[in-house]
Amino acid sequence: MVKQLLIIEDDPYIAELQKDYFLLHDFGVDVCLDGREGVEKALGGGYDLIILDLQLPGMDGFEICRTIRGQLDVPILIVSAKKEDIDKIRGFGLGADDFVTKPFSPNELVARAKAHLARYERFTGGQKAANTDRIDIRELSIHKSSHRVFVHGKEVSLTAKEFEVLLFMASNPNHVFNKEELFERIWGLESSGDIATVTVHVSRIREKIEADPSNPQFIETVWGAGYRFTI
């Protein structure tokens, strides 16, 4: 099945460059040059992945990311000329899956998009295990096949990437993973990405599953070493 992709980018040249490369790799591609139009199209178009600029007319990319992530669980890749760490951390905090800095390699962008799509499919639509295929640890219940998480019987909402991080760590309890290991295992992009996203995702998971995120009982910080899921 052809994957449908939406590019929200106000520079026509960059938008067409991205579109041409994705078309060469058999994607279906739509382009929006305006932020407000882009978010409306994203929410109603049934896209598999969103490529998002930050500096847009009508509505800025951060607000678009927040709005899309609040309603959809699809990969969002930010492509921006902004290079400050604070912009990357903010983007990840709003639910972006990746941050690519302009100027960029079109081939690398396509490779990243394919990697994120493969991981989303694996954790949202590719599992056929029975509903009993789950991990239960104290008050936490992780349902692998249905991509659902419950704390004290109440469902909590995780993005696909947050779920993937949680499931991986819960499947490997009491093992300390450093940020580089987690980034390579979950994002699979090795040195081409930004490991700051690991910290952001762990923080967001704690906020959702921990009774006291400042004193986590599941995902612990091992200072100077990394993170450990404790059972």
Side-chain angles (χ1 to χ4, degrees), residues 181-223:
E181 289 176 317
L182 286 172
F183 189 86
E184 183 175 349
R185 294 291 190 96
I186 304 302
W187 280 262
L189 303 173
E190 299 181 347
S191 61
S192 63
D194 190 335
I195 63 169
T197 188
V198 174
T199 302
V200 174
H201 279 74
V202 168
S203 177
R204 288 167 61 88
I205 293 168
R206 284 172 170 167
E207 291 174 359
K208 296 176 180 181
I209 70 169
E210 300 280 2
D212 180 5
S214 64
N215 184 30
Q217 302 301 304
F218 291 109
I219 302 179
E220 298 181 337
T221 297
V222 180
W223 295 108

mmCIF file of all heavy atoms in Angstrom, residues 181-223:
data_model
loop_
_atom_site.group_PDB
_atom_site.id
_atom_site.type_symbol
_atom_site.label_atom_id
_atom_site.label_comp_id
_atom_site.label_asym_id
_atom_site.label_seq_id
_atom_site.Cartn_x
_atom_site.Cartn_y
_atom_site.Cartn_z
ATOM 1 N N GLU A 181 22.399 3.962 23.675
ATOM 2 C CA GLU A 181 21.847 2.630 23.404
ATOM 3 C C GLU A 181 20.350 2.702 23.143
ATOM 4 O O GLU A 181 19.843 2.073 22.202
ATOM 5 C CB GLU A 181 22.119 1.703 24.590
ATOM 6 C CG GLU A 181 23.560 1.290 24.747
ATOM 7 C CD GLU A 181 23.777 0.464 25.995
ATOM 8 O OE1 GLU A 181 23.226 0.825 27.063
ATOM 9 O OE2 GLU A 181 24.498 -0.542 25.910
ATOM 10 N N LEU A 182 19.642 3.466 23.980
ATOM 11 C CA LEU A 182 18.198 3.590 23.785
ATOM 12 C C LEU A 182 17.882 4.258 22.461
ATOM 13 O O LEU A 182 16.961 3.840 21.750
ATOM 14 C CB LEU A 182 17.581 4.384 24.938
ATOM 15 C CG LEU A 182 17.463 3.644 26.265
ATOM 16 C CD1 LEU A 182 17.019 4.598 27.368
ATOM 17 C CD2 LEU A 182 16.475 2.478 26.147
ATOM 18 N N PHE A 183 18.640 5.289 22.121
ATOM 19 C CA PHE A 183 18.389 5.981 20.861
ATOM 20 C C PHE A 183 18.589 5.041 19.679
ATOM 21 O O PHE A 183 17.760 4.982 18.757
ATOM 22 C CB PHE A 183 19.319 7.194 20.725
ATOM 23 C CG PHE A 183 18.971 8.084 19.560
ATOM 24 C CD1 PHE A 183 18.026 9.082 19.688
ATOM 25 C CD2 PHE A 183 19.581 7.916 18.325
ATOM 26 C CE1 PHE A 183 17.685 9.889 18.628
ATOM 27 C CE2 PHE A 183 19.250 8.715 17.252
ATOM 28 C CZ PHE A 183 18.304 9.709 17.404
ATOM 29 N N GLU A 184 19.668 4.267 19.713
ATOM 30 C CA GLU A 184 19.937 3.343 18.600
ATOM 31 C C GLU A 184 18.892 2.238 18.537
ATOM 32 O O GLU A 184 18.420 1.874 17.453
ATOM 33 C CB GLU A 184 21.333 2.733 18.753
ATOM 34 C CG GLU A 184 21.712 1.818 17.593
ATOM 35 C CD GLU A 184 23.140 1.315 17.698
ATOM 36 O OE1 GLU A 184 23.893 1.833 18.537
ATOM 37 O OE2 GLU A 184 23.485 0.388 16.941
ATOM 38 N N ARG A 185 18.476 1.710 19.701
ATOM 39 C CA ARG A 185 17.501 0.618 19.721
ATOM 40 C C ARG A 185 16.115 1.084 19.271
ATOM 41 O O ARG A 185 15.429 0.360 18.545
ATOM 42 C CB ARG A 185 17.397 0.035 21.130
ATOM 43 C CG ARG A 185 18.647 -0.660 21.630
ATOM 44 C CD ARG A 185 18.938 -1.960 20.901
ATOM 45 N NE ARG A 185 19.995 -2.711 21.542
ATOM 46 C CZ ARG A 185 19.799 -3.695 22.411
ATOM 47 N NH1 ARG A 185 18.575 -4.053 22.737
ATOM 48 N NH2 ARG A 185 20.817 -4.331 22.941
ATOM 49 N N ILE A 186 15.705 2.279 19.696
ATOM 50 C CA ILE A 186 14.343 2.732 19.438
ATOM 51 C C ILE A 186 14.243 3.526 18.144
ATOM 52 O O ILE A 186 13.360 3.282 17.321
ATOM 53 C CB ILE A 186 13.817 3.594 20.609
ATOM 54 C CG1 ILE A 186 13.921 2.813 21.933
ATOM 55 C CG2 ILE A 186 12.374 4.022 20.342
ATOM 56 C CD1 ILE A 186 13.167 1.504 21.951
ATOM 57 N N TRP A 187 15.162 4.460 17.959
ATOM 58 C CA TRP A 187 15.084 5.309 16.763
ATOM 59 C C TRP A 187 15.859 4.711 15.589
ATOM 60 O O TRP A 187 15.537 4.970 14.447
ATOM 61 C CB TRP A 187 15.581 6.719 17.070
ATOM 62 C CG TRP A 187 14.550 7.557 17.748
ATOM 63 C CD1 TRP A 187 13.717 8.470 17.162
ATOM 64 C CD2 TRP A 187 14.211 7.562 19.141
ATOM 65 N NE1 TRP A 187 12.893 9.032 18.107
ATOM 66 C CE2 TRP A 187 13.164 8.491 19.342
ATOM 67 C CE3 TRP A 187 14.690 6.871 20.256
ATOM 68 C CZ2 TRP A 187 12.604 8.745 20.574
ATOM 69 C CZ3 TRP A 187 14.129 7.118 21.496
ATOM 70 C CH2 TRP A 187 13.090 8.046 21.641
ATOM 71 N N GLY A 188 16.881 3.936 15.882
ATOM 72 C CA GLY A 188 17.614 3.234 14.832
ATOM 73 C C GLY A 188 18.375 4.127 13.888
ATOM 74 O O GLY A 188 18.739 3.724 12.798
ATOM 75 N N LEU A 189 18.667 5.364 14.301
ATOM 76 C CA LEU A 189 19.327 6.311 13.399
ATOM 77 C C LEU A 189 20.772 6.562 13.801
ATOM 78 O O LEU A 189 21.472 7.330 13.170
ATOM 79 C CB LEU A 189 18.567 7.647 13.385
ATOM 80 C CG LEU A 189 17.101 7.528 12.988
ATOM 81 C CD1 LEU A 189 16.409 8.871 13.166
ATOM 82 C CD2 LEU A 189 16.978 7.069 11.550
ATOM 83 N N GLU A 190 21.227 5.925 14.846
ATOM 84 C CA GLU A 190 22.581 6.024 15.346
ATOM 85 C C GLU A 190 23.019 7.485 15.453
ATOM 86 O O GLU A 190 22.307 8.318 15.981
ATOM 87 C CB GLU A 190 23.515 5.197 14.465
ATOM 88 C CG GLU A 190 23.117 3.711 14.475
ATOM 89 C CD GLU A 190 24.018 2.852 13.642
ATOM 90 O OE1 GLU A 190 24.810 3.390 12.859
ATOM 91 O OE2 GLU A 190 23.930 1.627 13.766
ATOM 92 N N SER A 191 24.189 7.823 14.959
ATOM 93 C CA SER A 191 24.752 9.145 15.205
ATOM 94 C C SER A 191 24.103 10.257 14.393
ATOM 95 O O SER A 191 24.430 11.419 14.567
ATOM 96 C CB SER A 191 26.255 9.124 14.903
ATOM 97 O OG SER A 191 26.488 8.796 13.544
ATOM 98 N N SER A 192 23.185 9.938 13.483
ATOM 99 C CA SER A 192 22.580 10.975 12.644
ATOM 100 C C SER A 192 21.460 11.717 13.350
ATOM 101 O O SER A 192 20.926 12.676 12.823
ATOM 102 C CB SER A 192 22.023 10.353 11.352
ATOM 103 O OG SER A 192 20.995 9.426 11.648
ATOM 104 N N GLY A 193 21.096 11.286 14.565
ATOM 105 C CA GLY A 193 20.000 11.922 15.268
ATOM 106 C C GLY A 193 20.455 12.674 16.498
ATOM 107 O O GLY A 193 21.642 12.891 16.723
ATOM 108 N N ASP A 194 19.516 13.076 17.305
ATOM 109 C CA ASP A 194 19.767 13.864 18.497
ATOM 110 C C ASP A 194 19.269 13.090 19.706
ATOM 111 O O ASP A 194 18.076 12.872 19.873
ATOM 112 C CB ASP A 194 19.038 15.208 18.394
ATOM 113 C CG ASP A 194 19.441 16.173 19.489
ATOM 114 O OD1 ASP A 194 19.878 15.698 20.559
ATOM 115 O OD2 ASP A 194 19.323 17.387 19.278
ATOM 116 N N ILE A 195 20.205 12.659 20.587
ATOM 117 C CA ILE A 195 19.816 11.814 21.713
ATOM 118 C C ILE A 195 19.061 12.592 22.779
ATOM 119 O O ILE A 195 18.564 11.993 23.736
ATOM 120 C CB ILE A 195 21.040 11.113 22.345
ATOM 121 C CG1 ILE A 195 22.023 12.138 22.926
ATOM 122 C CG2 ILE A 195 21.719 10.197 21.350
ATOM 123 C CD1 ILE A 195 23.098 11.496 23.772
ATOM 124 N N ALA A 196 18.946 13.919 22.634
ATOM 125 C CA ALA A 196 18.141 14.678 23.590
ATOM 126 C C ALA A 196 16.706 14.181 23.619
ATOM 127 O O ALA A 196 16.018 14.289 24.647
ATOM 128 C CB ALA A 196 18.170 16.167 23.239
ATOM 129 N N THR A 197 16.251 13.595 22.517
ATOM 130 C CA THR A 197 14.878 13.093 22.478
ATOM 131 C C THR A 197 14.656 11.956 23.472
ATOM 132 O O THR A 197 13.550 11.755 23.945
ATOM 133 C CB THR A 197 14.516 12.611 21.059
ATOM 134 O OG1 THR A 197 13.131 12.317 21.018
ATOM 135 C CG2 THR A 197 15.304 11.382 20.653
ATOM 136 N N VAL A 198 15.710 11.213 23.826
ATOM 137 C CA VAL A 198 15.568 10.137 24.803
ATOM 138 C C VAL A 198 15.144 10.710 26.152
ATOM 139 O O VAL A 198 14.201 10.223 26.785
ATOM 140 C CB VAL A 198 16.886 9.348 24.939
ATOM 141 C CG1 VAL A 198 16.763 8.314 26.065
ATOM 142 C CG2 VAL A 198 17.240 8.659 23.628
ATOM 143 N N THR A 199 15.837 11.759 26.597
ATOM 144 C CA THR A 199 15.505 12.396 27.875
ATOM 145 C C THR A 199 14.077 12.913 27.873
ATOM 146 O O THR A 199 13.333 12.750 28.849
ATOM 147 C CB THR A 199 16.482 13.551 28.151
ATOM 148 O OG1 THR A 199 17.820 13.047 28.157
ATOM 149 C CG2 THR A 199 16.173 14.207 29.488
ATOM 150 N N VAL A 200 13.684 13.550 26.768
ATOM 151 C CA VAL A 200 12.339 14.105 26.662
ATOM 152 C C VAL A 200 11.294 13.002 26.744
ATOM 153 O O VAL A 200 10.293 13.119 27.470
ATOM 154 C CB VAL A 200 12.178 14.898 25.355
ATOM 155 C CG1 VAL A 200 10.732 15.346 25.169
ATOM 156 C CG2 VAL A 200 13.104 16.117 25.352
ATOM 157 N N HIS A 201 11.501 11.917 26.020
ATOM 158 C CA HIS A 201 10.509 10.840 26.008
ATOM 159 C C HIS A 201 10.420 10.139 27.360
ATOM 160 O O HIS A 201 9.316 9.793 27.810
ATOM 161 C CB HIS A 201 10.828 9.839 24.893
ATOM 162 C CG HIS A 201 10.363 10.279 23.543
ATOM 163 N ND1 HIS A 201 10.990 11.268 22.830
ATOM 164 C CD2 HIS A 201 9.313 9.880 22.785
ATOM 165 C CE1 HIS A 201 10.355 11.454 21.688
ATOM 166 N NE2 HIS A 201 9.332 10.624 21.633
ATOM 167 N N VAL A 202 11.557 9.914 28.015
ATOM 168 C CA VAL A 202 11.515 9.293 29.336
ATOM 169 C C VAL A 202 10.759 10.189 30.309
ATOM 170 O O VAL A 202 9.936 9.713 31.107
ATOM 171 C CB VAL A 202 12.946 9.014 29.848
ATOM 172 C CG1 VAL A 202 12.923 8.648 31.333
ATOM 173 C CG2 VAL A 202 13.583 7.890 29.047
ATOM 174 N N SER A 203 11.002 11.494 30.239
ATOM 175 C CA SER A 203 10.303 12.434 31.118
ATOM 176 C C SER A 203 8.804 12.400 30.889
ATOM 177 O O SER A 203 8.005 12.381 31.838
ATOM 178 C CB SER A 203 10.840 13.851 30.894
ATOM 179 O OG SER A 203 10.141 14.792 31.671
ATOM 180 N N ARG A 204 8.382 12.347 29.618
ATOM 181 C CA ARG A 204 6.954 12.323 29.296
ATOM 182 C C ARG A 204 6.305 11.013 29.746
ATOM 183 O O ARG A 204 5.164 10.998 30.224
ATOM 184 C CB ARG A 204 6.756 12.533 27.796
ATOM 185 C CG ARG A 204 7.042 13.975 27.351
ATOM 186 C CD ARG A 204 7.153 14.070 25.836
ATOM 187 N NE ARG A 204 5.937 13.674 25.167
ATOM 188 C CZ ARG A 204 4.921 14.493 24.896
ATOM 189 N NH1 ARG A 204 4.987 15.766 25.263
ATOM 190 N NH2 ARG A 204 3.856 14.065 24.255
ATOM 191 N N ILE A 205 7.028 9.905 29.611
ATOM 192 C CA ILE A 205 6.490 8.616 30.063
ATOM 193 C C ILE A 205 6.300 8.633 31.582
ATOM 194 O O ILE A 205 5.274 8.190 32.095
ATOM 195 C CB ILE A 205 7.427 7.466 29.654
ATOM 196 C CG1 ILE A 205 7.442 7.312 28.125
ATOM 197 C CG2 ILE A 205 6.985 6.146 30.301
ATOM 198 C CD1 ILE A 205 8.539 6.398 27.618
ATOM 199 N N ARG A 206 7.294 9.165 32.293
ATOM 200 C CA ARG A 206 7.186 9.243 33.754
ATOM 201 C C ARG A 206 5.968 10.049 34.177
ATOM 202 O O ARG A 206 5.267 9.692 35.129
ATOM 203 C CB ARG A 206 8.454 9.863 34.332
ATOM 204 C CG ARG A 206 9.654 8.935 34.374
ATOM 205 C CD ARG A 206 10.892 9.690 34.768
ATOM 206 N NE ARG A 206 12.029 8.809 35.044
ATOM 207 C CZ ARG A 206 13.278 9.231 35.161
ATOM 208 N NH1 ARG A 206 13.550 10.530 35.013
ATOM 209 N NH2 ARG A 206 14.252 8.388 35.410
ATOM 210 N N GLU A 207 5.721 11.150 33.492
ATOM 211 C CA GLU A 207 4.576 11.984 33.840
ATOM 212 C C GLU A 207 3.259 11.226 33.703
ATOM 213 O O GLU A 207 2.281 11.532 34.386
ATOM 214 C CB GLU A 207 4.550 13.226 32.945
ATOM 215 C CG GLU A 207 5.679 14.215 33.231
ATOM 216 C CD GLU A 207 5.700 15.360 32.244
ATOM 217 O OE1 GLU A 207 4.846 15.360 31.319
ATOM 218 O OE2 GLU A 207 6.563 16.244 32.376
ATOM 219 N N LYS A 208 3.251 10.223 32.843
ATOM 220 C CA LYS A 208 2.018 9.504 32.563
ATOM 221 C C LYS A 208 1.839 8.237 33.390
ATOM 222 O O LYS A 208 0.698 7.820 33.640
ATOM 223 C CB LYS A 208 1.950 9.175 31.068
ATOM 224 C CG LYS A 208 1.880 10.412 30.179
ATOM 225 C CD LYS A 208 1.900 10.059 28.701
ATOM 226 C CE LYS A 208 1.831 11.311 27.835
ATOM 227 N NZ LYS A 208 1.818 11.010 26.383
ATOM 228 N N ILE A 209 2.945 7.594 33.816
ATOM 229 C CA ILE A 209 2.800 6.302 34.500
ATOM 230 C C ILE A 209 3.231 6.329 35.957
ATOM 231 O O ILE A 209 2.893 5.409 36.707
ATOM 232 C CB ILE A 209 3.569 5.176 33.765
ATOM 233 C CG1 ILE A 209 5.084 5.368 33.910
ATOM 234 C CG2 ILE A 209 3.140 5.080 32.306
ATOM 235 C CD1 ILE A 209 5.892 4.163 33.436
ATOM 236 N N GLU A 210 3.990 7.343 36.359
ATOM 237 C CA GLU A 210 4.504 7.387 37.720
ATOM 238 C C GLU A 210 3.565 8.171 38.640
ATOM 239 O O GLU A 210 3.050 9.219 38.254
ATOM 240 C CB GLU A 210 5.894 8.036 37.751
ATOM 241 C CG GLU A 210 6.955 7.324 36.923
ATOM 242 C CD GLU A 210 7.539 6.097 37.618
ATOM 243 O OE1 GLU A 210 7.086 5.765 38.737
ATOM 244 O OE2 GLU A 210 8.449 5.473 37.031
ATOM 245 N N ALA A 211 3.382 7.684 39.865
ATOM 246 C CA ALA A 211 2.601 8.426 40.851
ATOM 247 C C ALA A 211 3.300 9.730 41.212
ATOM 248 O O ALA A 211 2.668 10.764 41.411
ATOM 249 C CB ALA A 211 2.394 7.570 42.099
ATOM 250 N N ASP A 212 4.632 9.682 41.279
ATOM 251 C CA ASP A 212 5.449 10.861 41.555
ATOM 252 C C ASP A 212 6.602 10.877 40.563
ATOM 253 O O ASP A 212 7.633 10.224 40.796
ATOM 254 C CB ASP A 212 5.975 10.817 42.994
ATOM 255 C CG ASP A 212 6.839 12.029 43.336
ATOM 256 O OD1 ASP A 212 6.940 12.941 42.490
ATOM 257 O OD2 ASP A 212 7.398 12.047 44.442
ATOM 258 N N PRO A 213 6.469 11.589 39.445
ATOM 259 C CA PRO A 213 7.512 11.588 38.416
ATOM 260 C C PRO A 213 8.880 12.025 38.927
ATOM 261 O O PRO A 213 9.906 11.625 38.361
ATOM 262 C CB PRO A 213 6.972 12.582 37.380
ATOM 263 C CG PRO A 213 5.490 12.555 37.570
ATOM 264 C CD PRO A 213 5.292 12.388 39.044
ATOM 265 N N SER A 214 8.920 12.832 39.997
ATOM 266 C CA SER A 214 10.201 13.271 40.537
ATOM 267 C C SER A 214 10.881 12.175 41.360
ATOM 268 O O SER A 214 12.074 12.266 41.668
ATOM 269 C CB SER A 214 10.012 14.524 41.406
ATOM 270 O OG SER A 214 9.216 14.223 42.546
ATOM 271 N N ASN A 215 10.132 11.135 41.689
ATOM 272 C CA ASN A 215 10.674 9.993 42.426
ATOM 273 C C ASN A 215 10.181 8.711 41.757
ATOM 274 O O ASN A 215 9.377 7.959 42.322
ATOM 275 C CB ASN A 215 10.230 10.040 43.894
ATOM 276 C CG ASN A 215 10.835 8.929 44.716
ATOM 277 O OD1 ASN A 215 11.936 8.456 44.439
ATOM 278 N ND2 ASN A 215 10.096 8.468 45.722
ATOM 279 N N PRO A 216 10.641 8.447 40.522
ATOM 280 C CA PRO A 216 10.088 7.344 39.714
ATOM 281 C C PRO A 216 10.362 5.972 40.317
ATOM 282 O O PRO A 216 11.439 5.713 40.841
ATOM 283 C CB PRO A 216 10.803 7.507 38.371
ATOM 284 C CG PRO A 216 12.063 8.232 38.689
ATOM 285 C CD PRO A 216 11.727 9.157 39.824
ATOM 286 N N GLN A 217 9.350 5.107 40.210
ATOM 287 C CA GLN A 217 9.455 3.736 40.707
ATOM 288 C C GLN A 217 9.622 2.720 39.580
ATOM 289 O O GLN A 217 9.977 1.571 39.839
ATOM 290 C CB GLN A 217 8.214 3.391 41.532
ATOM 291 C CG GLN A 217 7.990 4.320 42.718
ATOM 292 C CD GLN A 217 9.151 4.332 43.688
ATOM 293 O OE1 GLN A 217 9.549 3.276 44.188
ATOM 294 N NE2 GLN A 217 9.700 5.510 43.951
ATOM 295 N N PHE A 218 9.325 3.134 38.358
ATOM 296 C CA PHE A 218 9.466 2.227 37.216
ATOM 297 C C PHE A 218 10.751 2.527 36.438
ATOM 298 O O PHE A 218 11.666 1.719 36.399
ATOM 299 C CB PHE A 218 8.241 2.316 36.298
ATOM 300 C CG PHE A 218 6.996 1.755 36.903
ATOM 301 C CD1 PHE A 218 5.954 2.582 37.291
ATOM 302 C CD2 PHE A 218 6.852 0.390 37.104
ATOM 303 C CE1 PHE A 218 4.797 2.073 37.860
ATOM 304 C CE2 PHE A 218 5.709 -0.146 37.674
ATOM 305 C CZ PHE A 218 4.674 0.704 38.062
ATOM 306 N N ILE A 219 10.807 3.685 35.798
ATOM 307 C CA ILE A 219 12.001 4.042 35.029
ATOM 308 C C ILE A 219 12.894 4.912 35.897
ATOM 309 O O ILE A 219 12.635 6.104 36.096
ATOM 310 C CB ILE A 219 11.636 4.771 33.722
ATOM 311 C CG1 ILE A 219 10.725 3.894 32.858
ATOM 312 C CG2 ILE A 219 12.906 5.125 32.941
ATOM 313 C CD1 ILE A 219 10.301 4.542 31.550
ATOM 314 N N GLU A 220 13.951 4.310 36.419
ATOM 315 C CA GLU A 220 14.862 5.007 37.312
ATOM 316 C C GLU A 220 16.062 5.560 36.556
ATOM 317 O O GLU A 220 16.512 4.967 35.573
ATOM 318 C CB GLU A 220 15.349 4.064 38.412
ATOM 319 C CG GLU A 220 14.247 3.527 39.315
ATOM 320 C CD GLU A 220 14.790 2.622 40.400
ATOM 321 O OE1 GLU A 220 15.892 2.073 40.210
ATOM 322 O OE2 GLU A 220 14.120 2.474 41.434
ATOM 323 N N THR A 221 16.585 6.665 37.033
ATOM 324 C CA THR A 221 17.834 7.216 36.498
ATOM 325 C C THR A 221 18.995 6.635 37.288
ATOM 326 O O THR A 221 19.017 6.707 38.525
ATOM 327 C CB THR A 221 17.856 8.747 36.610
ATOM 328 O OG1 THR A 221 16.802 9.295 35.818
ATOM 329 C CG2 THR A 221 19.186 9.304 36.109
ATOM 330 N N VAL A 222 19.944 6.040 36.587
ATOM 331 C CA VAL A 222 21.179 5.560 37.202
ATOM 332 C C VAL A 222 22.242 6.593 36.847
ATOM 333 O O VAL A 222 22.716 6.644 35.708
ATOM 334 C CB VAL A 222 21.567 4.163 36.685
ATOM 335 C CG1 VAL A 222 22.858 3.686 37.358
ATOM 336 C CG2 VAL A 222 20.434 3.169 36.929
ATOM 337 N N TRP A 223 22.560 7.435 37.792
ATOM 338 C CA TRP A 223 23.384 8.604 37.488
ATOM 339 C C TRP A 223 24.739 8.205 36.904
ATOM 340 O O TRP A 223 25.430 7.337 37.410
ATOM 341 C CB TRP A 223 23.601 9.435 38.759
ATOM 342 C CG TRP A 223 22.296 10.012 39.251
ATOM 343 C CD1 TRP A 223 21.590 9.631 40.351
ATOM 344 C CD2 TRP A 223 21.522 11.026 38.614
ATOM 345 N NE1 TRP A 223 20.425 10.341 40.466
ATOM 346 C CE2 TRP A 223 20.356 11.212 39.415
ATOM 347 C CE3 TRP A 223 21.690 11.798 37.466
ATOM 348 C CZ2 TRP A 223 19.370 12.139 39.087
ATOM 349 C CZ3 TRP A 223 20.704 12.724 37.141
ATOM 350 C CH2 TRP A 223 19.569 12.887 37.938
#
